[in-house]
């Protein structure tokens, strides 16, 4: 029997009350999200308005076999339905590949090498989107790079903190703020570049953003914990407790999928809904549709510090909700916010348009729900999964977004065939229903999933 202790490694260098490595990882994620969300904000509009139109679509390498494969599963699709389905497939690929990337980081390469390789592939992929012929190639490269980078970047956050450190929860919230700052800046920049200088300039900017992220990560290496070596030391068969933990985390994944079905639709068909239902004129200026996506970054960035203070005060009184209760609250809040879109949707054939204030209010309310859900999901995975399977479970968590993207891409096809009010009511019911189930399961599941202690003994 071989015994291997698995201590959590932390760096002594601190900044703003946290290890400096947190800010290196958050900075890398910031630029990743600036590139990714910048491209994502204009993708569906670009497909509908230019790339999939005659004179452009025939230039795209591999587009014929790709469309034939999609329509073999879905049946004939209109241009708009093909665009939303393409977006769903692409997003699903981005969130599926971390499952493989996590296993590579856990078992074969160090997390640092895997993250660096992923950032390089994403950089090349984003630049490839700037040309019609290499568009599908770029989507594949971004998907592969995202799998390597994202499944191995976030697990390095957990490695910076000792077991039981109260700062872990806050660390994932600060990490989430980097995600949201990038999500705020990116649509503003790429939306403006696409509107005033052309789609391809917007995609080119995304490539430079990912390149900066790679540089930030390489320069900050000295402040990162040496987690990959520690994890490899613990390699071996999972204990009974570890297998039980993994089974319970897998069991909640369908509920997590329900949240992301609604959220990924905001990245996809929502842009078309804004185009069709919202008055975008402000004192004679036409607000670019992608700019509203920037509110998905601004709202959490403004609200998260207030919620952190609120939760810390609750913790001081012993009343802070546990992770699973927060997930339930977040899903219900997101479902409630979708009712604003129901209210703002006009009847088919009507020329009426809702005021811009309604989608702005939607983004702020939905993102309070997001704060309760997305960073908390990351904290649940990283603090409850066994140390030797954190990269893998990060990949599984991303896989839930991939499954949701495929479902929301298919649901996006309904936008042309049913009233917009019914379209958003369906999504509200899906996400709010998952929130209710989370609240019902919170107490028994919380007792069964205490924080994982990395200082454990594994047998092989």
């Amino acid at each position: 029997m071989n015994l291997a202790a698995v201590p959590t490694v932390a760096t002594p260098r601190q900044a703003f009350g946290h290890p400096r490595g947190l800010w290196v990882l958050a900075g890398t994620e910031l630029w990743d999200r600036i590139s990714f969300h910048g491209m994502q904000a204009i993708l569906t509009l670009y497909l509908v308005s230019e790339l999939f139109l005659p004179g452009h679509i025939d230039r795209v390498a591999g587009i014929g076999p790709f469309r034939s494969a999609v329509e073999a599963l879905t049946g004939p699709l209109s241009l708009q339905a093909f665009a939303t389905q393409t977006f769903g497939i692409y997003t699903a690929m981005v969130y599926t590949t971390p499952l493989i990337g996590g296993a590579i980081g856990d078992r074969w390469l160090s997390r640092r090498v895997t993250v660096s390789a992923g950032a390089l592939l994403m950089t090349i992929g984003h630049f490839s989107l700037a040309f019609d012929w290499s568009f599908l190639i770029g989507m594949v490269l971004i998907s592969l790079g995202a799998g390597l980078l994202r499944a191995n970047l976030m697990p390095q956050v957990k490695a910076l903190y000792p077991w039981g450190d109260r700062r872990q929860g806050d660390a994932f919230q600060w990490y989430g703020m980097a995600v949201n700052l990038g999500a705020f800046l990116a649509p503003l920049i790429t939306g403006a570049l696409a509107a005033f200088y052309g789609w391809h300039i917007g995609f080119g900017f995304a490539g430079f953003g990912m390149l900066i992220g790679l540089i930030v990560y390489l320069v900050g290496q000295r402040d990162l914990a040496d987690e990959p070596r520690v994890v490899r030391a613990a390699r071996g068969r999972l204990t009974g407790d570890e297998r039980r933990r993994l089974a319970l985390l897998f069991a909640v994944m369908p509920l997590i999928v329900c949240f992301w079905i609604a959220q990924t639709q905001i990245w996809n068909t929502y842009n078309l809904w804004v185009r069709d239902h919202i008055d975008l004129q402000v004192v004679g200026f036409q607000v670019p549709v992608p700019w509203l996506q920037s509110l998905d970054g601004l709202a959490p960035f403004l609200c998260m510090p207030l919620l952190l203070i609120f939760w810390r005060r609750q913790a001081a009184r012993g009343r802070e909700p546990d992770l699973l209760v927060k997930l339930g609250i977040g899903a219900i809040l997101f479902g409630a916010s979708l009712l604003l879109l129901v209210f703002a949707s006009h009847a088919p054939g009507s020329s009426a348009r809702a005021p811009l204030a309604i989608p702005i209010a939607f983004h702020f309310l939905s993102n309070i729900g997001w704060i309760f859900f997305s960073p908390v999901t990351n904290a649940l995975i990283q603090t409850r999964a066994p140390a030797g399977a954190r990269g893998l479970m990060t990949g599984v968590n991303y896989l839930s977004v991939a499954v949701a993207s495929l479902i929301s891409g298919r649901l996006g096809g309904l936008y042309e065939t049913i009233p917009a009010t019914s379209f958003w009511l369906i999504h509200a019911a899906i996400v709010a229903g998952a929130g209710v189930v989370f609240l019902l399961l919170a107490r028994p599941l919380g007792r069964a999933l205490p924080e994982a202690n990395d200082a454990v003994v594994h047998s092989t």
Side-chain angles (χ1 to χ4, degrees):
M1 177 178 293
N2 297 322
L3 301 181
V6 189
T8 302
V9 180
T11 68
R13 291 158 57 89
Q14 303 284 308
F16 304 106
H18 287 271
R20 289 190 181 185
L22 172 64
W23 310 115
V24 173
L25 297 171
T28 305
E29 186 66 65
L30 167 66
W31 283 103
D32 166 36
R33 296 299 172 152
I34 286 177
S35 66
F36 177 75
H37 286 281
M39 180 274 291
Q40 179 178 271
I42 63 176
L43 181 57
T44 300
L45 292 169
Y46 169 61
L47 297 179
V48 171
S49 303
E50 182 170 314
L51 188 66
F52 284 176
L53 296 179
H56 289 274
I57 192 169
D58 293 336
R59 302 175 190 168
V60 181
I63 192 66
F66 172 68
R67 183 164 190 171
S68 296
V70 172
E71 292 186 336
L73 297 174
T74 64
L77 297 172
S78 67
L79 182 151
Q80 185 167 295
F82 181 47
T84 60
Q85 190 67 70
T86 298
F87 183 97
I89 292 171
Y90 160 72
T91 308
M93 289 170 58
V94 167
Y95 287 98
T96 297
T97 51
L99 187 63
I100 301 172
I104 291 173
D106 278 340
R107 298 292 176 177
W108 292 296
L109 301 178
S110 72
R111 297 204 193 283
R112 297 185 188 187
V113 171
T114 308
V115 167
S116 300
L120 182 59
L121 284 176
M122 292 182 73
T123 299
I124 298 171
H126 280 298
F127 283 128
S128 299
L129 297 185
F131 307 95
D132 286 356
W133 72 270
S134 57
F135 183 81
L136 292 181
I137 296 171
M139 291 177 70
V140 171
L141 291 175
I142 293 172
S143 301
L144 294 175
L148 296 176
L149 184 145
R150 294 184 180 177
N152 294 284
L153 195 64
M154 192 181 303
Q156 294 180 68
V157 175
K158 175 67 174 72
L160 296 168
Y161 297 88
W163 180 80
D165 193 328
R166 166 65 179 77
R167 297 178 300 166
Q168 289 181 99
D170 288 356
F172 286 103
Q173 295 289 350
W174 287 117
Y175 189 90
M177 284 190 69
V179 172
N180 285 289
L181 179 59
F184 165 61
L185 295 173
L188 293 177
I189 298 171
T190 58
L193 290 174
F196 302 118
Y197 298 101
W199 300 105
H200 299 296
I201 300 298
F203 289 126
F205 168 78
F208 282 109
M210 193 64 251
L211 181 60
I212 295 173
L214 174 59
I215 293 172
V216 169
Y217 185 74
L218 294 176
V219 170
Q221 294 287 294
R222 63 178 294 191
D223 288 311
L224 303 181
D226 193 15
E227 190 199 23
R229 177 165 51 84
V230 175
V231 170
R232 285 198 296 273
R235 188 181 301 168
R237 291 177 300 182
L238 295 174
T239 66
D241 177 69
E242 289 173 331
R243 288 193 296 270
R244 180 185 59 80
R245 286 176 174 276
L246 291 179
L248 290 172
L249 289 173
F250 273 106
V252 302
M253 286 300 159
L255 299 176
I256 294 173
V257 168
C258 290
F259 175 86
W260 288 108
I261 288 172
Q263 176 63 79
T264 56
Q265 201 64 268
I266 304 307
W267 303 337
N268 191 352
T269 309
Y270 172 79
N271 279 339
L272 303 178
W273 176 85
V274 169
R275 179 197 66 185
D276 297 339
H277 291 262
I278 300 301
D279 181 6
L280 295 172
Q281 288 287 332
V282 178
V283 292
F285 175 73
Q286 179 78 9
V287 176
V289 172
W291 280 17
L292 282 175
Q293 294 282 346
S294 70
L295 295 176
D296 267 354
L298 178 63
F301 190 76
L302 295 177
C303 296
M304 192 175 291
L306 299 177
L307 278 173
L308 287 175
I309 293 171
F310 177 65
W311 287 338
R312 193 171 293 124
R313 289 179 177 175
Q314 284 186 311
R317 298 193 300 268
R319 299 177 59 185
E320 181 180 10
D322 66 22
L323 297 180
L324 293 161
V325 172
K326 287 180 180 178
L327 292 176
I329 294 172
I332 291 172
L333 285 174
F334 200 101
S337 71
L338 289 170
L339 298 180
L340 290 173
L341 305 188
V342 174
F343 174 75
S345 299
H346 58 68
S350 171
S351 60
R353 287 182 173 266
L356 190 59
I358 293 180
I360 291 174
F362 160 75
H363 280 285
F364 274 86
L365 179 57
S366 67
N367 278 286
I368 293 174
W370 184 94
I371 294 170
F372 271 89
F373 198 92
S374 183
V376 173
T377 301
N378 295 331
L380 180 74
I381 296 295
Q382 300 303 324
T383 61
R384 269 56 176 178
R390 285 198 184 115
L392 174 65
M393 287 308 300
T394 300
V396 171
N397 189 28
Y398 280 120
L399 182 62
S400 68
V401 185
V403 173
S405 298
L406 290 175
I407 296 172
S408 68
R410 190 64 178 139
L411 289 174
L414 296 176
Y415 179 69
E416 294 179 286
T417 62
I418 66 175
T421 51
S422 301
F423 182 82
W424 292 120
L425 278 173
I426 291 171
H427 291 80
I430 290 171
V431 65
V436 171
V437 176
F438 263 123
L439 293 180
L440 293 174
L441 293 179
R443 182 170 296 180
L445 193 56
R447 288 196 298 265
L449 267 179
E451 181 183 343
N453 187 348
D454 288 354
V456 296
V457 175
H458 293 257
S459 62
T460 59

